[in-house]
Amino acid sequence: MKRLEDWPERLAAYVDAHRDTPFRWGQNDCATFAAGAVEAITGHAMEVPIVESAQDYAGFVADLGALRQHVADHLGEPLASPAFARRGDVVLMLLDGRETLGVCIGAEAAAPGASGVLTVPMSAASAAWRV
């Protein structure tokens, strides 16, 4: 995948468009949010499994073994350290006891939260993938 020439503007518009969109399984969960960011940056849609509840998510992760592996299947091996992530890269972090995907927006990662986009310091990331 190659980033589009205007990817910074596309990423900013994508995050802004979701700023007040609350977390909702299957519509604005961490996987759909991260995949949407990748599409905004590259123009390429990623296949995202439909997860409609916390129970579905737990089953998906149990079947797969880890969310990390699912992302690696689509984006390749993670970076040697999440500290090497740059804006637009997909990140994995632990939020509220659950592995969560987000997107690096600089010193922070953005992810869907209960009342809209939440930002978390990149130091919370446990893995990152180049987009």
Side-chain angles (χ1 to χ4, degrees):
M1 273 184 285
K2 184 175 176 167
R3 291 179 183 218
L4 298 169
E5 191 172 308
D6 61 345
W7 73 265
E9 294 84 8
R10 289 172 172 266
L11 175 61
Y14 178 79
V15 172
D16 285 344
H18 287 82
R19 185 115 3 239
D20 298 319
T21 305
F23 179 97
R24 185 166 178 171
W25 291 109
Q27 294 179 13
N28 190 43
D29 56 38
C30 71
T32 59
F33 182 83
V38 170
E39 184 172 2
I41 292 166
T42 68
H44 296 285
M46 292 182 62
E47 185 178 329
V48 178
I50 301 301
V51 175
E52 296 181 346
S53 68
Q55 185 176 3
D56 285 354
Y57 171 83
F60 168 73
V61 172
D63 289 345
L64 183 65
L67 188 55
R68 177 186 301 254
Q69 185 57 52
H70 179 72
V71 177
D73 289 347
H74 291 279
L75 295 179
E77 290 301 311
L79 299 172
S81 167
F84 297 136
R86 62 184 187 203
R87 280 189 313 138
D89 288 344
V90 172
V91 300
L92 179 69
M93 54 201 149
L94 192 64
L95 295 177
D96 297 327
R98 179 181 297 140
E99 283 189 323
T100 301
L101 296 174
V103 62
C104 177
I105 56 172
E108 298 176 311
S115 59
V117 171
L118 59 89
T119 56
V120 179
M122 276 297 295
S123 59
S126 60
W129 289 265
R130 186 73 69 215
V131 173

